[in-house]
């Protein structure tokens, strides 16, 4: 009798372990399904709502992704679930890239001009030229003047006014840089670029103004 009771106890314990194990696997699958469902559902949310709450969306995604990844350890055979997670990761990354483009601040025509003349994001609303130094100022002038030369026929009068404003600010920075080790050779090259720029600005700015006046009369 005692042996039967002992055997029954062992069976019950084994069944309990099996039940716990099955429940753990079920919970793991639910976490993975929750992650997959979240990725699919995010794409159906209105774009304006996503823009307003994008940080929350990303935080929730990260939480569910971590839970799903950790849940794989609780599955005896996780091949199918791993594939599901990987597919959802790819879906989300593609969607995230699409949203990044939509969330990026719109670049104004003025900022596009500044980016072309000096490099992406080098000159912002603060008009700071602190990044220009004795070592790079010749290259800065060179890019500025050559960019203007290559695009001079497409600039409007407002563009030329902005170009002049930026050119004068760069010149002001040069006055400071000259005292910080600007070489005579670079100074000579910059002088040549300045001689090239001056008449190009005057002629083309006048031409742009004349074209705008003619267009206004029509």
């Amino acid at each position: 009798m005692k042996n039967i009771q002992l055997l029954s106890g062992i069976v019950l314990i084994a069944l309990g372990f099996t039940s716990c194990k099955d429940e753990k696997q079920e919970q793991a699958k639910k976490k993975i399904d929750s992650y997959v469902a979240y990725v699919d559902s995010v794409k159906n949310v209105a774009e304006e709502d996503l823009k307003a709450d994008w940080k929350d969306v990303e935080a929730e995604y990260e939480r569910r992704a971590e839970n799903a990844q950790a849940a794989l350890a609780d599955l005896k055979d996780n091949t199918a679930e791993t594939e599901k997670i990987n597919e959802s990761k790819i879906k989300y990354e593609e969607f995230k890239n699409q949203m990044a483009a939509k969330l990026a601040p719109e670049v104004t025509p003025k900022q596009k001009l500044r980016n072309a003349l000096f490099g992406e994001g080098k000159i912002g609303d603060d008009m700071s030229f602190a990044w220009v130094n004795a070592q790079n100022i010749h290259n800065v002038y060179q890019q500025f003047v050559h960019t203007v030369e290559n695009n001079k026929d497409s600039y409007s009068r407002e563009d030329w006014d902005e170009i002049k404003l930026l050119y004068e600010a760069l010149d002001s920075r040069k006055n400071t840089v000259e005292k910080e080790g600007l070489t005579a050779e670079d100074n000579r090259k910059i002088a040549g670029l300045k001689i090239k720029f001056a008449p190009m600005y005057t002629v083309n700015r006048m031409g742009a103004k004349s074209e705008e006046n003619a267009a206004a009369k029509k």
Side-chain angles (χ1 to χ4, degrees):
M1 186 67 178
K2 287 183 180 180
N3 289 336
I4 294 174
Q5 288 176 341
L6 180 61
L7 180 60
S8 297
I10 292 172
V11 170
L12 286 172
I13 291 170
L15 287 172
F17 278 132
T18 302
S19 176
C20 288
K21 190 174 181 181
D22 289 344
E23 185 178 347
K24 201 171 185 180
Q25 292 202 67
E26 284 302 314
Q27 290 299 320
K29 288 180 179 179
K30 284 181 180 179
K31 288 177 181 178
I32 293 168
D33 288 342
S34 173
Y35 166 71
V36 172
Y38 182 77
V39 171
D40 290 337
S41 67
V42 163
K43 296 192 293 183
N44 297 322
V45 177
E47 187 175 299
E48 290 305 313
D49 292 335
L50 283 173
K51 287 180 178 179
D53 301 318
W54 185 245
K55 287 185 179 179
D56 293 335
V57 170
E58 286 219 276
E60 182 62 16
Y61 169 82
E62 292 297 335
R63 186 184 72 80
R64 293 188 188 230
E66 288 176 10
N67 287 343
Q69 199 65 42
L72 289 174
D74 293 330
L75 297 173
K76 185 176 181 180
D77 181 4
N78 61 21
T79 304
E81 280 71 19
T82 299
E83 188 174 339
K84 284 167 69 174
I85 289 174
N86 290 338
E87 286 177 359
S88 289
K89 279 182 180 178
I90 293 170
K91 283 183 184 178
Y92 184 79
E93 285 303 316
E94 290 175 350
F95 182 70
K96 182 179 177 180
N97 290 337
Q98 293 171 9
M99 284 302 300
K102 293 173 182 177
L103 290 167
E106 184 180 350
V107 181
T108 64
K110 181 183 288 187
Q111 188 59 51
K112 286 180 181 177
L113 178 61
R114 293 178 176 184
N115 290 344
L117 294 170
F118 296 104
E120 195 74 25
K122 291 286 188 180
I123 300 296
D125 292 336
D126 60 356
M127 288 283 289
S128 173
F129 282 80
W131 55 277
V132 178
N133 54 48
Q135 286 69 47
N136 66 18
I137 192 167
H138 169 244
N139 290 334
V140 174
Y141 267 98
Q142 193 169 47
Q143 178 175 335
F144 182 94
V145 174
H146 288 176
T147 300
V148 171
E149 183 178 27
N150 292 336
N151 298 278
K152 61 183 185 293
D153 295 330
S154 65
Y155 291 141
S156 67
R157 182 170 55 85
E158 286 77 9
D159 289 335
W160 283 111
D161 290 343
E162 175 69 10
I163 288 168
K164 183 182 179 183
L165 180 69
L166 293 165
Y167 180 75
E168 289 174 347
L170 178 58
D171 269 355
S172 178
R173 178 61 180 169
K174 179 179 175 292
N175 293 335
T176 300
V177 166
E178 281 183 308
K179 304 168 187 174
E180 298 175 350
L182 180 63
T183 65
E185 178 66 12
D186 279 348
N187 210 349
R188 183 185 63 77
K189 290 177 180 178
I190 290 170
L193 290 167
K194 288 166 69 68
I195 290 170
K196 187 176 186 178
F197 174 79
M200 182 167 57
Y201 166 78
T202 302
V203 172
N204 286 279
R205 203 271 184 187
M206 287 176 62
K209 185 176 181 180
S210 299
E211 288 177 7
E212 288 183 11
N213 288 341
K217 289 178 181 178
K218 290 180 181 180

